[in-house]
Amino acid sequence: MEALGDRLHTVWLCIEVPRAGGRLLETGTEEFLQLKNDGALGNIPVVVVLTKYDKFMDHVERTLNDIDLDDLSEDAFRDRVRQRADAELHDICAQPLKKFVELDIPYATVSTKETHKGMIARLIQITEERVCQHVASEASVMTSVAQRVDPKLKITTSIGVGKRKYWKALASATAFRGHTALACLEVLHTDIVRVWNFSDPHHYLDSKEFKTLMVTVVNHMDVGSIAQPNRTVTFGLSAVAAIAGITSALSGPAAPIVVPIMATVVIGKWVYDVYQLSRVVLRHFIAYIVDLTLILQTLYLVSDSQELSRRTIKLAVASYLKSATSADVHGRIQECNRHLPLSERADQDTLNQIVELMKLFSMEAKDISGLKAQIPAFGSGEDEQW
């Protein structure tokens, strides 16, 4: 189809990992790949998805006969099984796909078992890369928006959207001239929230209350963050520790979660003025972008792909503020902001700082399951007022 939205963007060719000498490619599968090889599918990329990886791992484990296995620790034994499985998979997949070598068809292994959930993120990453390379960058953005397994890819996509739109103009004010800072923030806010694709039927993330929360989070930077450039806080562990601290202090599972800054911080005058470039305004705008992104990353952890409630959103905001990450982020922004020039030539420097901070504190998909397992129950099914 001519319209990008009507096209097929990629094909996942799903095949169960063969065991006990079985064939990887059945006749119909080979015929499909031959069609691709002959150009019938045009530029549409194909990714082979090897399913039921957990059963294949069990098979590999049963067939191990190394005499020194008894001396291995549990972790070392798991590593040995994975190494053997990867070697066998390469042999199983490389040979039958060799006849289609011109297609450059990648493969990814997946399983629905919790211990292998991180593998789905690799499938998503490969898919996004291939769609961007062979179809269109706009389609790859929608791939990233649709997926809910890799927060790091969400951040990468936010950066890509920001680069193409408004972030590069922050240090020269060219894009926002004549508009209030609040109106400019709402544009940035909408762009970032859309990328995360939360289940938010009540539009809590677009509400005036949540935007007010975000401005007060940014204003929190003005009460005295101290930069510690030699220290890097691990985002995931910092967030989980803060969440545990907040939930353990609740008087009961239904006790409301309090975001402490709501009543004590007055929204800054800078929000209501027409955007006028200054170091203070630039610092606040950088902080808004980074704070919102990292709060949404925290929300990704605590929401567990469920429908959002105000209680869950408040927990994400409160735990970000309580975590060592927010102080570290604000400190780094304050330190770098002192050296940023204010001119059109400074746009790239500003963009680089935003990108560096967002990448520095992004979570790896492989760590998600372990972090979620450490989050205590907090009554996410309940809701409460802002």
Short mmCIF file of all heavy atoms in Angstrom, two decimals, residues 151-208:
data_model
loop_
_atom_site.label_atom_id
_atom_site.label_comp_id
_atom_site.label_asym_id
_atom_site.label_seq_id
_atom_site.Cartn_x
_atom_site.Cartn_y
_atom_site.Cartn_z
N PRO A 151 11.91 -0.36 28.58
CA PRO A 151 11.86 1.07 28.89
C PRO A 151 13.01 1.85 28.27
O PRO A 151 12.87 3.03 27.95
CB PRO A 151 11.93 1.10 30.42
CG PRO A 151 12.53 -0.21 30.81
CD PRO A 151 12.08 -1.19 29.78
N LYS A 152 14.15 1.20 28.08
CA LYS A 152 15.29 1.90 27.47
C LYS A 152 14.97 2.31 26.04
O LYS A 152 15.37 3.40 25.59
CB LYS A 152 16.54 1.01 27.50
CG LYS A 152 17.82 1.75 27.14
CD LYS A 152 19.04 0.90 27.42
CE LYS A 152 20.31 1.69 27.18
NZ LYS A 152 21.53 0.91 27.54
N LEU A 153 14.25 1.47 25.32
CA LEU A 153 13.85 1.81 23.96
C LEU A 153 12.85 2.96 23.97
O LEU A 153 12.84 3.80 23.05
CB LEU A 153 13.26 0.59 23.25
CG LEU A 153 12.93 0.74 21.77
CD1 LEU A 153 14.14 1.20 20.98
CD2 LEU A 153 12.40 -0.58 21.20
N LYS A 154 12.00 3.03 25.00
CA LYS A 154 11.09 4.16 25.13
C LYS A 154 11.88 5.46 25.26
O LYS A 154 11.56 6.48 24.65
CB LYS A 154 10.22 4.00 26.38
CG LYS A 154 9.26 2.83 26.35
CD LYS A 154 8.09 3.08 25.44
CE LYS A 154 7.00 2.03 25.62
NZ LYS A 154 5.93 2.15 24.62
N ILE A 155 12.93 5.43 26.08
CA ILE A 155 13.74 6.63 26.28
C ILE A 155 14.47 6.99 24.99
O ILE A 155 14.53 8.18 24.61
CB ILE A 155 14.74 6.40 27.44
CG1 ILE A 155 13.96 6.37 28.77
CG2 ILE A 155 15.81 7.49 27.48
CD1 ILE A 155 14.81 6.11 29.99
N THR A 156 14.99 6.00 24.30
CA THR A 156 15.66 6.26 23.02
C THR A 156 14.69 6.89 22.02
O THR A 156 15.04 7.82 21.29
CB THR A 156 16.22 4.95 22.43
OG1 THR A 156 17.15 4.38 23.35
CG2 THR A 156 16.91 5.19 21.10
N THR A 157 13.45 6.42 22.02
CA THR A 157 12.44 6.98 21.12
C THR A 157 12.07 8.40 21.51
O THR A 157 11.90 9.27 20.65
CB THR A 157 11.19 6.09 21.11
OG1 THR A 157 11.55 4.75 20.75
CG2 THR A 157 10.15 6.60 20.12
N SER A 158 11.95 8.65 22.82
CA SER A 158 11.68 10.01 23.30
C SER A 158 12.77 10.96 22.81
O SER A 158 12.49 12.08 22.38
CB SER A 158 11.63 10.05 24.83
OG SER A 158 10.43 9.49 25.31
N ILE A 159 14.01 10.50 22.89
CA ILE A 159 15.13 11.32 22.43
C ILE A 159 15.00 11.60 20.93
O ILE A 159 15.18 12.73 20.47
CB ILE A 159 16.47 10.62 22.74
CG1 ILE A 159 16.70 10.60 24.25
CG2 ILE A 159 17.63 11.33 22.04
CD1 ILE A 159 17.88 9.73 24.67
N GLY A 160 14.65 10.56 20.16
CA GLY A 160 14.50 10.73 18.73
C GLY A 160 13.40 11.72 18.37
O GLY A 160 13.58 12.58 17.50
N VAL A 161 12.25 11.61 19.07
CA VAL A 161 11.14 12.54 18.82
C VAL A 161 11.55 13.95 19.22
O VAL A 161 11.29 14.92 18.50
CB VAL A 161 9.89 12.08 19.60
CG1 VAL A 161 8.80 13.15 19.52
CG2 VAL A 161 9.36 10.76 19.05
N GLY A 162 12.21 14.07 20.38
CA GLY A 162 12.63 15.39 20.85
C GLY A 162 13.62 16.06 19.93
O GLY A 162 13.55 17.27 19.70
N LYS A 163 14.54 15.29 19.38
CA LYS A 163 15.53 15.84 18.45
C LYS A 163 14.84 16.43 17.22
O LYS A 163 15.23 17.49 16.72
CB LYS A 163 16.50 14.74 18.00
CG LYS A 163 17.61 14.43 18.99
CD LYS A 163 18.53 13.36 18.40
CE LYS A 163 19.69 13.05 19.33
NZ LYS A 163 20.57 12.00 18.77
N ARG A 164 13.83 15.72 16.73
CA ARG A 164 13.17 16.18 15.50
C ARG A 164 12.26 17.36 15.75
O ARG A 164 11.91 18.09 14.81
CB ARG A 164 12.36 15.03 14.88
CG ARG A 164 13.21 13.97 14.23
CD ARG A 164 12.40 13.15 13.24
NE ARG A 164 11.31 12.46 13.89
CZ ARG A 164 11.42 11.23 14.42
NH1 ARG A 164 12.58 10.61 14.39
NH2 ARG A 164 10.40 10.64 14.98
N LYS A 165 11.85 17.57 17.00
CA LYS A 165 10.84 18.58 17.24
C LYS A 165 11.39 19.78 18.01
O LYS A 165 11.91 20.72 17.42
CB LYS A 165 9.64 17.95 17.94
CG LYS A 165 8.97 16.87 17.06
CD LYS A 165 7.77 16.26 17.70
CE LYS A 165 6.55 17.14 17.57
NZ LYS A 165 5.33 16.47 18.04
N TYR A 166 11.35 19.76 19.35
CA TYR A 166 11.52 21.01 20.08
C TYR A 166 12.78 21.10 20.94
O TYR A 166 13.20 22.19 21.31
CB TYR A 166 10.31 21.25 20.99
CG TYR A 166 9.00 21.18 20.25
CD1 TYR A 166 8.16 20.09 20.38
CD2 TYR A 166 8.62 22.20 19.39
CE1 TYR A 166 6.96 20.02 19.68
CE2 TYR A 166 7.43 22.14 18.69
CZ TYR A 166 6.59 21.05 18.84
OH TYR A 166 5.43 21.00 18.15
N TRP A 167 13.38 19.98 21.30
CA TRP A 167 14.42 20.04 22.31
C TRP A 167 15.62 20.88 21.87
O TRP A 167 16.26 21.53 22.69
CB TRP A 167 14.90 18.62 22.68
CG TRP A 167 13.85 17.79 23.32
CD1 TRP A 167 12.54 18.11 23.54
CD2 TRP A 167 14.02 16.47 23.84
NE1 TRP A 167 11.88 17.07 24.13
CE2 TRP A 167 12.76 16.06 24.33
CE3 TRP A 167 15.10 15.60 23.91
CZ2 TRP A 167 12.57 14.81 24.91
CZ3 TRP A 167 14.91 14.35 24.49
CH2 TRP A 167 13.66 13.96 24.99
N LYS A 168 15.92 20.86 20.59
CA LYS A 168 17.10 21.59 20.12
C LYS A 168 16.90 23.10 20.17
O LYS A 168 17.86 23.86 20.06
CB LYS A 168 17.45 21.18 18.69
CG LYS A 168 18.04 19.78 18.58
CD LYS A 168 18.49 19.47 17.17
CE LYS A 168 19.70 20.29 16.80
NZ LYS A 168 20.26 19.89 15.49
N ALA A 169 15.66 23.55 20.35
CA ALA A 169 15.39 24.98 20.35
C ALA A 169 15.33 25.57 21.75
O ALA A 169 15.08 26.76 21.92
CB ALA A 169 14.08 25.27 19.63
N LEU A 170 15.57 24.76 22.77
CA LEU A 170 15.42 25.26 24.14
C LEU A 170 16.39 26.39 24.46
O LEU A 170 16.06 27.32 25.19
CB LEU A 170 15.63 24.11 25.14
CG LEU A 170 14.56 23.01 25.15
CD1 LEU A 170 14.96 21.93 26.15
CD2 LEU A 170 13.20 23.58 25.50
N ALA A 171 17.61 26.30 23.96
CA ALA A 171 18.64 27.27 24.33
C ALA A 171 18.60 28.54 23.49
O ALA A 171 19.34 29.48 23.75
CB ALA A 171 20.02 26.64 24.22
N SER A 172 17.73 28.58 22.49
CA SER A 172 17.61 29.79 21.70
C SER A 172 16.19 30.35 21.71
O SER A 172 15.96 31.47 21.26
CB SER A 172 18.03 29.53 20.25
OG SER A 172 17.23 28.51 19.68
N ALA A 173 15.25 29.57 22.23
CA ALA A 173 13.86 29.99 22.38
C ALA A 173 13.15 30.23 21.05
O ALA A 173 12.07 30.80 21.02
CB ALA A 173 13.76 31.24 23.26
N THR A 174 13.74 29.78 19.95
CA THR A 174 13.15 30.08 18.65
C THR A 174 11.79 29.42 18.45
O THR A 174 10.89 30.00 17.85
CB THR A 174 14.10 29.62 17.53
OG1 THR A 174 14.43 28.24 17.74
CG2 THR A 174 15.38 30.44 17.53
N ALA A 175 11.63 28.20 18.96
CA ALA A 175 10.37 27.48 18.72
C ALA A 175 9.25 27.95 19.63
O ALA A 175 8.07 27.75 19.33
CB ALA A 175 10.60 25.99 18.93
N PHE A 176 9.60 28.58 20.77
CA PHE A 176 8.61 28.90 21.79
C PHE A 176 8.32 30.39 21.92
O PHE A 176 7.63 30.81 22.84
CB PHE A 176 9.08 28.36 23.15
CG PHE A 176 9.25 26.87 23.17
CD1 PHE A 176 10.32 26.29 23.85
CD2 PHE A 176 8.37 26.04 22.52
CE1 PHE A 176 10.48 24.92 23.88
CE2 PHE A 176 8.52 24.66 22.54
CZ PHE A 176 9.58 24.09 23.22
N ARG A 177 8.89 31.18 21.03
CA ARG A 177 8.73 32.62 21.14
C ARG A 177 7.26 33.02 21.09
O ARG A 177 6.50 32.58 20.23
CB ARG A 177 9.51 33.31 20.01
CG ARG A 177 9.63 34.81 20.16
CD ARG A 177 10.61 35.40 19.16
NE ARG A 177 12.00 35.06 19.52
CZ ARG A 177 12.82 34.41 18.73
NH1 ARG A 177 12.40 34.00 17.54
NH2 ARG A 177 14.06 34.14 19.10
N GLY A 178 6.85 33.86 22.04
CA GLY A 178 5.48 34.35 22.08
C GLY A 178 4.52 33.48 22.88
O GLY A 178 3.35 33.84 23.04
N HIS A 179 4.97 32.34 23.38
CA HIS A 179 4.12 31.44 24.15
C HIS A 179 4.57 31.41 25.61
O HIS A 179 5.74 31.62 25.92
CB HIS A 179 4.17 30.02 23.58
CG HIS A 179 3.68 29.92 22.17
ND1 HIS A 179 2.35 29.85 21.84
CD2 HIS A 179 4.36 29.88 20.98
CE1 HIS A 179 2.21 29.78 20.53
NE2 HIS A 179 3.42 29.79 19.98
N THR A 180 3.62 31.14 26.49
CA THR A 180 4.00 31.02 27.91
C THR A 180 4.81 29.75 28.12
O THR A 180 4.70 28.79 27.34
CB THR A 180 2.77 30.97 28.81
OG1 THR A 180 2.03 29.78 28.54
CG2 THR A 180 1.89 32.20 28.62
N ALA A 181 5.60 29.76 29.18
CA ALA A 181 6.39 28.57 29.50
C ALA A 181 5.47 27.38 29.75
O ALA A 181 5.80 26.24 29.39
CB ALA A 181 7.27 28.84 30.73
N LEU A 182 4.30 27.63 30.37
CA LEU A 182 3.36 26.54 30.64
C LEU A 182 2.88 25.89 29.35
O LEU A 182 2.82 24.66 29.23
CB LEU A 182 2.17 27.07 31.44
CG LEU A 182 1.10 26.04 31.81
CD1 LEU A 182 1.69 24.93 32.68
CD2 LEU A 182 -0.07 26.71 32.54
N ALA A 183 2.56 26.70 28.35
CA ALA A 183 2.11 26.17 27.06
C ALA A 183 3.22 25.35 26.40
O ALA A 183 2.97 24.30 25.79
CB ALA A 183 1.67 27.31 26.15
N CYS A 184 4.45 25.82 26.51
CA CYS A 184 5.58 25.09 25.93
C CYS A 184 5.78 23.76 26.64
O CYS A 184 6.05 22.73 26.00
CB CYS A 184 6.86 25.93 26.04
SG CYS A 184 6.74 27.54 25.23
N LEU A 185 5.66 23.77 27.96
CA LEU A 185 5.82 22.54 28.74
C LEU A 185 4.76 21.51 28.36
O LEU A 185 5.03 20.31 28.33
CB LEU A 185 5.75 22.84 30.24
CG LEU A 185 6.96 23.53 30.88
CD1 LEU A 185 6.67 23.83 32.33
CD2 LEU A 185 8.21 22.67 30.75
N GLU A 186 3.56 21.98 28.10
CA GLU A 186 2.49 21.05 27.75
C GLU A 186 2.78 20.33 26.43
O GLU A 186 2.45 19.16 26.27
CB GLU A 186 1.15 21.80 27.68
CG GLU A 186 0.64 22.20 29.07
CD GLU A 186 -0.75 22.82 29.03
OE1 GLU A 186 -1.19 23.20 27.93
OE2 GLU A 186 -1.38 22.92 30.09
N VAL A 187 3.42 21.03 25.49
CA VAL A 187 3.81 20.39 24.24
C VAL A 187 4.85 19.30 24.51
O VAL A 187 4.74 18.16 24.03
CB VAL A 187 4.38 21.43 23.26
CG1 VAL A 187 4.98 20.75 22.03
CG2 VAL A 187 3.29 22.41 22.83
N LEU A 188 5.89 19.64 25.29
CA LEU A 188 6.92 18.67 25.64
C LEU A 188 6.32 17.50 26.40
O LEU A 188 6.66 16.34 26.17
CB LEU A 188 8.01 19.34 26.48
CG LEU A 188 8.76 20.51 25.83
CD1 LEU A 188 9.68 21.17 26.86
CD2 LEU A 188 9.56 20.05 24.64
N HIS A 189 5.44 17.80 27.34
CA HIS A 189 4.79 16.79 28.19
C HIS A 189 4.05 15.78 27.32
O HIS A 189 4.21 14.56 27.50
CB HIS A 189 3.82 17.51 29.14
CG HIS A 189 3.13 16.60 30.10
ND1 HIS A 189 3.50 16.48 31.42
CD2 HIS A 189 2.08 15.75 29.94
CE1 HIS A 189 2.72 15.61 32.03
NE2 HIS A 189 1.84 15.15 31.15
N THR A 190 3.24 16.27 26.39
CA THR A 190 2.43 15.39 25.54
C THR A 190 3.31 14.47 24.70
O THR A 190 3.06 13.27 24.59
CB THR A 190 1.52 16.22 24.63
OG1 THR A 190 0.64 17.01 25.45
CG2 THR A 190 0.69 15.32 23.73
N ASP A 191 4.37 15.03 24.10
CA ASP A 191 5.26 14.22 23.27
C ASP A 191 5.88 13.07 24.05
O ASP A 191 5.97 11.94 23.57
CB ASP A 191 6.39 15.10 22.70
CG ASP A 191 5.91 15.99 21.58
OD1 ASP A 191 4.82 15.73 21.05
OD2 ASP A 191 6.61 16.96 21.25
N ILE A 192 6.33 13.35 25.27
CA ILE A 192 7.01 12.32 26.08
C ILE A 192 6.02 11.27 26.57
O ILE A 192 6.29 10.06 26.48
CB ILE A 192 7.74 12.98 27.27
CG1 ILE A 192 8.86 13.89 26.75
CG2 ILE A 192 8.32 11.93 28.21
CD1 ILE A 192 9.49 14.77 27.81
N VAL A 193 4.86 11.70 27.07
CA VAL A 193 3.87 10.76 27.60
C VAL A 193 3.39 9.80 26.52
O VAL A 193 3.23 8.60 26.76
CB VAL A 193 2.68 11.54 28.22
CG1 VAL A 193 1.49 10.61 28.46
CG2 VAL A 193 3.10 12.20 29.53
N ARG A 194 3.18 10.30 25.29
CA ARG A 194 2.66 9.45 24.22
C ARG A 194 3.60 8.28 23.91
O ARG A 194 3.16 7.18 23.58
CB ARG A 194 2.43 10.28 22.95
CG ARG A 194 1.28 11.25 23.05
CD ARG A 194 -0.06 10.53 23.20
NE ARG A 194 -1.13 11.50 23.47
CZ ARG A 194 -1.50 11.91 24.67
NH1 ARG A 194 -0.91 11.40 25.75
NH2 ARG A 194 -2.47 12.77 24.83
N VAL A 195 4.89 8.51 23.99
CA VAL A 195 5.85 7.46 23.67
C VAL A 195 5.70 6.27 24.61
O VAL A 195 5.88 5.12 24.20
CB VAL A 195 7.29 8.02 23.72
CG1 VAL A 195 8.32 6.89 23.69
CG2 VAL A 195 7.53 8.96 22.55
N TRP A 196 5.34 6.51 25.88
CA TRP A 196 5.30 5.42 26.86
C TRP A 196 4.07 4.54 26.73
O TRP A 196 4.05 3.41 27.21
CB TRP A 196 5.42 5.99 28.28
CG TRP A 196 6.83 6.41 28.55
CD1 TRP A 196 7.42 7.59 28.22
CD2 TRP A 196 7.87 5.61 29.15
NE1 TRP A 196 8.75 7.58 28.59
CE2 TRP A 196 9.05 6.38 29.16
CE3 TRP A 196 7.90 4.32 29.68
CZ2 TRP A 196 10.25 5.90 29.68
CZ3 TRP A 196 9.10 3.84 30.21
CH2 TRP A 196 10.25 4.63 30.20
N ASN A 197 3.00 5.05 26.12
CA ASN A 197 1.86 4.21 25.76
C ASN A 197 1.29 3.44 26.95
O ASN A 197 1.03 2.23 26.88
CB ASN A 197 2.27 3.21 24.65
CG ASN A 197 1.09 2.44 24.07
OD1 ASN A 197 -0.02 2.94 24.03
ND2 ASN A 197 1.34 1.21 23.65
N PHE A 198 1.11 4.13 28.06
CA PHE A 198 0.49 3.49 29.23
C PHE A 198 -0.99 3.25 28.99
O PHE A 198 -1.63 3.94 28.18
CB PHE A 198 0.65 4.37 30.47
CG PHE A 198 2.04 4.37 31.06
CD1 PHE A 198 2.88 5.46 30.90
CD2 PHE A 198 2.50 3.27 31.78
CE1 PHE A 198 4.15 5.47 31.44
CE2 PHE A 198 3.77 3.27 32.32
CZ PHE A 198 4.60 4.37 32.16
N SER A 199 -1.54 2.29 29.72
CA SER A 199 -2.98 2.09 29.72
C SER A 199 -3.59 3.13 30.65
O SER A 199 -3.62 2.96 31.86
CB SER A 199 -3.32 0.67 30.21
OG SER A 199 -4.73 0.51 30.30
N ASP A 200 -4.04 4.24 30.08
CA ASP A 200 -4.47 5.40 30.87
C ASP A 200 -5.82 5.90 30.35
O ASP A 200 -5.93 7.02 29.83
CB ASP A 200 -3.40 6.50 30.77
CG ASP A 200 -3.69 7.69 31.67
OD1 ASP A 200 -4.49 7.54 32.62
OD2 ASP A 200 -3.11 8.78 31.40
N PRO A 201 -6.88 5.08 30.49
CA PRO A 201 -8.18 5.45 29.92
C PRO A 201 -8.77 6.72 30.53
O PRO A 201 -9.60 7.38 29.91
CB PRO A 201 -9.06 4.23 30.20
CG PRO A 201 -8.42 3.56 31.38
CD PRO A 201 -6.95 3.78 31.20
N HIS A 202 -8.37 7.05 31.77
CA HIS A 202 -8.90 8.25 32.43
C HIS A 202 -8.04 9.48 32.15
O HIS A 202 -8.34 10.57 32.66
CB HIS A 202 -8.98 8.02 33.94
CG HIS A 202 -9.81 6.81 34.31
ND1 HIS A 202 -11.18 6.76 34.14
CD2 HIS A 202 -9.45 5.61 34.83
CE1 HIS A 202 -11.63 5.59 34.55
NE2 HIS A 202 -10.60 4.87 34.97
N HIS A 203 -6.97 9.31 31.38
CA HIS A 203 -6.09 10.43 30.98
C HIS A 203 -5.50 11.15 32.19
O HIS A 203 -5.36 12.37 32.19
CB HIS A 203 -6.85 11.42 30.09
CG HIS A 203 -7.47 10.78 28.88
ND1 HIS A 203 -6.72 10.32 27.81
CD2 HIS A 203 -8.78 10.51 28.58
CE1 HIS A 203 -7.53 9.80 26.90
NE2 HIS A 203 -8.77 9.89 27.34
N TYR A 204 -5.13 10.38 33.19
CA TYR A 204 -4.50 10.98 34.37
C TYR A 204 -3.18 11.66 34.02
O TYR A 204 -2.84 12.70 34.59
CB TYR A 204 -4.25 9.91 35.44
CG TYR A 204 -5.50 9.36 36.09
CD1 TYR A 204 -5.63 8.00 36.37
CD2 TYR A 204 -6.55 10.20 36.45
CE1 TYR A 204 -6.77 7.49 36.98
CE2 TYR A 204 -7.70 9.70 37.05
CZ TYR A 204 -7.79 8.34 37.32
OH TYR A 204 -8.92 7.84 37.91
N LEU A 205 -2.43 11.08 33.09
CA LEU A 205 -1.12 11.64 32.76
C LEU A 205 -1.25 12.94 31.96
O LEU A 205 -0.27 13.70 31.85
CB LEU A 205 -0.28 10.63 31.96
CG LEU A 205 0.12 9.37 32.72
CD1 LEU A 205 0.93 8.44 31.82
CD2 LEU A 205 0.91 9.70 33.98
N ASP A 206 -2.43 13.20 31.41
CA ASP A 206 -2.66 14.46 30.70
C ASP A 206 -3.36 15.49 31.58
O ASP A 206 -3.62 16.62 31.12
CB ASP A 206 -3.54 14.22 29.46
CG ASP A 206 -2.83 13.36 28.42
OD1 ASP A 206 -1.62 13.56 28.23
OD2 ASP A 206 -3.49 12.49 27.81
N SER A 207 -3.66 15.13 32.80
CA SER A 207 -4.47 15.99 33.66
C SER A 207 -3.68 17.19 34.17
O SER A 207 -2.45 17.18 34.26
CB SER A 207 -5.00 15.20 34.86
OG SER A 207 -3.93 14.82 35.71
N LYS A 208 -4.41 18.22 34.53
CA LYS A 208 -3.81 19.42 35.11
C LYS A 208 -3.11 19.07 36.42
O LYS A 208 -2.04 19.61 36.73
CB LYS A 208 -4.90 20.47 35.36
CG LYS A 208 -4.38 21.75 36.00
CD LYS A 208 -5.51 22.73 36.25
CE LYS A 208 -5.00 24.00 36.93
NZ LYS A 208 -6.11 24.96 37.19
#
